[in-house]
Amino acid sequence: IPSELGELDNLQKLTLHHNEFLGEVPTEVCMLREESLHFLWADCSPMPSTTLAKVSCTEDCCTICFEGYDDDGGPSTGGSSPSTPSETTHTVQNDEGSDLKTKLSDASTDGGMSLMDIT
């Protein structure tokens, strides 16, 4: 993940999940969370096959952590996205009471009940 992303002073949303990023979210990017960056999504939740995350974030950096895709059992592969949405499953962490979850709940027709199914 390029540290130069931290130079984008007006960046408000950064989605780094479902790709081939490996390693740490740079400090320069995390520092944007103090100012303009409201949403930072990454593959920072451990994958079931390895119990390792593809990307690591400090506690206050990533707003939502997804599992990375892992076709052959190791994060070093870079993973790949499933071919159809029906194959997609996620574990989402750090979203308890998040601004995004609140906004989606408020905007949904079912009062956010379908959001409660995310584990």
Side-chain angles (χ1 to χ4, degrees), residues 2-114:
S3 61
E4 290 82 8
L5 290 172
E7 297 174 18
L8 302 172
D9 295 331
N10 294 318
L11 187 65
Q12 295 181 4
K13 180 179 179 182
L14 182 59
T15 56
L16 302 174
H17 65 293
H18 300 159
N19 58 52
E20 297 185 18
F21 285 121
L22 299 171
E24 294 184 22
V25 175
T27 302
E28 295 86 352
V29 173
C30 293
M31 288 175 29
L32 290 175
R33 293 274 297 127
E34 298 174 10
E35 299 295 327
S36 61
L37 187 59
H38 302 292
F39 303 104
L40 175 55
W41 299 356
D43 292 330
C44 50
S45 182
M47 295 179 289
S49 61
T50 64
T51 67
L52 299 172
K54 287 175 62 177
V55 174
S56 61
C57 297
T58 60
E59 185 175 320
D60 295 332
C61 187
C62 293
T63 56
I64 296 182
C65 289
F66 292 87
E67 287 178 359
Y69 291 107
D70 182 28
D71 286 343
D72 69 354
S76 61
T77 64
S80 64
S81 297
S83 58
T84 63
S86 63
E87 297 175 28
T88 304
T89 59
H90 302 288
T91 297
V92 180
Q93 295 180 344
N94 299 337
D95 74 331
E96 188 68 35
S98 71
D99 290 338
L100 175 64
K101 192 169 189 176
T102 301
K103 288 177 184 179
L104 289 173
S105 294
D106 292 345
S108 69
T109 57
D110 66 355
M113 292 308 296
S114 60

Side-chain angles (χ1 to χ4, degrees), residues 90 101 112-119:
H90 302 288
K101 192 169 189 176
M113 292 308 296
S114 60
L115 288 173
M116 299 307 151
D117 292 335
I118 297 174
T119 57

